[in-house]
Amino acid sequence: MYDLIIIGGGAAGFFAAINVAERNRNLKIAIVERGREVLQKVKVSGGGRCNVTHACFEPSALINYYPRGNQELLQPFERFNPTHTIEWFESRGVKIKKEADGRMFPVSNSSQSIIDCFLEACRKNYIEILTNTRVESIENNGDHWQLNAIGHRQYFTKKLMIATGSDVAIWKLLQHLGVSVVAPVPSLFTFNIKDTRIQDLMGISVDNVICQLKDPKSKQLSTFNSSGPMLVTHWGLSGPAILKLSAWGARALNELNYEFEVIVNWLGKTDIEKIRQHLHQQIANQPKKNVLANAEFGLSVRLWKNLCMAAEIGEYQKWAETGKKHIARLIEQLTACRFKVNGKSTFKDEFVTAGGVELTELDFNKFCLKKYPNLYMAGEVLNIDAVTGGFNFQAAWTGGWIAAQSLSL
C-alpha cells in the first residue's frame, strides 16, 4: 500500500512527487510510467534545451496564453507562477536565463539539467520510479485505489494522481470512473499551403506579421487573429504567429477538416495610408529603379519579388511605370495576403492536444476531482493547453505544486 501513486512520468508528475516528498518525508510515493524512459517531453522540449517557463510574471497577463483553461488558472497562478518556478529550480542548483522573446531556459542550455535535478530529488526523497508499467484499469475502493497493470501486477494507494498528458487510454479509464472528458483535437500545428507566392522560400522568416483565420462557414473563426514571427517552410507557413492561431482555433479548424483561409499582413502594420504614401514616395524618389529588385519594408528580396509579381508588377518594371492599380494590388498582397490552407503538420516535438478532463470536474484549490477528493490531476491530462513559449510547462508546474500541498497532508 502506497500513500501516493502518480501515473505518468512527465513534468507534472515528477514536480508533484518531489514537492509532496519534500513536505512530508514519511510518505511512500511511486511514479508509474508506461514507457522505458521518464521525462521524455522535458528532454525534447525547446530543441533539447527545455523551455522551462516564460518571463510573464503577472497572472492576469499569463492566462492570456492559454486558449483552454485561462480563467480557471488565474487563482492557481497567483499561488505559483513563473517567479516561483525560477526560485524553485535555482534553489536546487539549476540557474534559469531569459531570452529576448521571453522564453526561459536552463543556463546550461540542456534539458538534462532539469532531468538530473528531478532524478536526484527522487533519489534523495526515496521516490520509487516504476517504468514499463502500463496501467490497464483503475478501481476505486473507497479509502484507496487499486491499479491493475500489465503483467498481472497490482498496486494499491491511498491517494492517486493522474499526470499522463494526452494519453487517450488513460482518458478512457477515467471515463469508466464517470469522469467527463472533452474529446481531443490537435493544437500547435503548421498550415499546409501550396502557393506560388511562398514556393521555394523555405527558411525565410518575417519578424512581425499579423494573421487572421477566415472561412465563410465559420463565424467563430474570423475572431481568431495573432501576431509575431512567421516562418516559410517546405510545407507552408509556421512560426509563433501561425502556432498561436492553430492553438486558439484548434476546435474550429478540426471541424473544418483543416481546409480554410489565412490572411497574412506581412508588414504587421495596419495604417494602409502610410504604406500607400511610402510606395508613392518610391515612385517620386526612385523612378528608374526596378521594383522587384529593391525590396521595401525590410522584406527579403525573394518574398518581395513574389508579392510584386502576384500584384501583376512586371519583372523589369520600374517605379515610374507603376500606377495606382499596381499600388492597390501590391498593398493587398502586403497587408491582406490570402492563402488557402489544406491540411496541417505537427510542429516538431512541441505537439500539444486540446482536450482532456472537463475542467468543471476539478477543484482548482487542490487540483483534485470534486467527485473523488483523493484523485488528483495536473498537466495536459486536463483540458488545458497553451501556445508555445514555456506556458504548457508552467501549467504543469503550477498544477503539480498546488496538488502537492494537499497530497502531502
Side-chain angles (χ1 to χ4, degrees), residues 135-165:
V135 175
E136 295 185 311
S137 67
I138 301 171
E139 297 176 23
N140 175 38
N141 294 327
D143 63 344
H144 71 275
W145 295 90
Q146 178 179 326
L147 309 182
N148 302 306
I150 191 167
H152 305 292
R153 285 175 287 176
Q154 291 183 325
Y155 302 90
F156 301 89
T157 181
K158 295 172 186 174
K159 293 179 181 178
L160 177 64
M161 182 172 183
I162 310 289
T164 47

Side-chain angles (χ1 to χ4, degrees), residues 46-47 49 51-55 96-105 350 388-391:
R49 295 194 299 148
N51 187 181
V52 176
T53 187
H54 197 281
I96 306 295
K97 65 175 180 176
K98 173 188 168 185
E99 300 204 338
D101 59 2
R103 292 181 302 160
M104 305 196 80
F105 295 89
E350 306 288 354
T388 55
F391 301 104

Side-chain angles (χ1 to χ4, degrees), residues 43-51 103 105 109 111 348-350:
K43 185 176 183 178
V44 300
S45 155
R49 295 194 299 148
C50 188
N51 187 181
R103 292 181 302 160
F105 295 89
N109 275 328
S111 58
K348 296 182 182 177
D349 297 306
E350 306 288 354

Side-chain angles (χ1 to χ4, degrees), residues 3 20-29 125 158 408:
D3 293 295
V20 170
E22 289 180 348
R23 285 173 60 89
N24 189 340
R25 293 183 178 274
N26 296 319
L27 299 180
K28 187 179 181 185
I29 302 169
N125 291 285
K158 295 172 186 174
S408 57

